[in-house]
Amino acid sequence: DPKSQQDGAGHGPQAQPQSAGMLIVGALAMGVVVFTAVVAYLVASGTMGGEGSGLGLPAIPVAAGLSVVALTAPFLIRPLLAAKVARRSRAAREEVESGRIPPELLSATIVAGAVSEAPGLLGATLALVEGDLTYLVPAGAAVISLLALLPTRGRLEGLLDR
């Protein structure tokens, strides 16, 4: 319901503190880190995975492909989703300069973060199923990508300058 996203004066979604975006992206990164740590322990200890338990996928090409997706897709998607901000760039720039993140940029950051997180979680899941720690490489790539997506003032201004 569009009215539920409006403030009392009938305006659209309001800008949030930049820390809200940092918390969301940070939570996505921590989810990948914690799940990867658990998987690494389970596989290394022999509790999960092992000979003949997996799908027989080639670890290095799959891990490399997932890493490429984690490291590139979010940085292609976020600017596309943030393009709507260009229409109101002066207001958006004022929000960013005052320490807030425009709703469009927050949404774009969350979507880009989810796109970055997915290959990492898939890689960790494959490591668990296959018993091969090579699949954890995309999880590391996802964490790096998520850290690069943290919506700092400089990064948000960079999106507005495109």
Side-chain angles (χ1 to χ4, degrees):
D1 178 25
K3 289 195 175 207
S4 66
Q5 294 183 1
Q6 296 179 352
D7 65 10
H11 298 111
Q14 300 299 303
Q16 299 296 315
Q18 288 173 8
S19 59
M22 290 184 165
L23 285 172
I24 293 167
V25 174
L28 293 171
M30 285 306 299
V32 174
V33 168
V34 170
F35 184 59
T36 300
V38 170
V39 168
Y41 171 77
L42 291 173
V43 171
S45 69
T47 305
M48 297 290 292
E51 296 284 327
S53 65
L55 304 170
L57 296 174
I60 293 175
V62 171
L66 289 173
S67 296
V68 167
V69 170
L71 290 170
T72 59
F75 301 100
L76 299 173
I77 289 172
R78 186 161 77 162
L80 292 174
L81 294 174
K84 181 178 175 184
V85 176
R87 291 187 213 128
R88 61 180 203 98
S89 63
R90 182 175 178 182
R93 185 166 300 282
E94 288 172 2
E95 289 172 343
V96 169
E97 288 173 357
S98 70
R100 303 183 68 71
I101 182 170
E104 299 90 346
L105 290 182
L106 180 58
S107 297
T109 298
I110 292 169
V111 170
V115 168
S116 181
E117 178 192 42
L121 293 177
L122 180 57
T125 302
L126 287 171
L128 190 61
V129 171
E130 295 286 330
D132 186 343
L133 295 177
T134 305
Y135 288 106
L136 295 183
V137 171
V143 170
I144 291 168
S145 180
L146 285 162
L147 293 176
L149 284 172
L150 285 171
T152 63
R153 180 176 171 175
R155 289 179 185 150
L156 293 173
E157 287 173 347
L159 281 172
L160 294 175
D161 290 339
R162 289 181 179 217

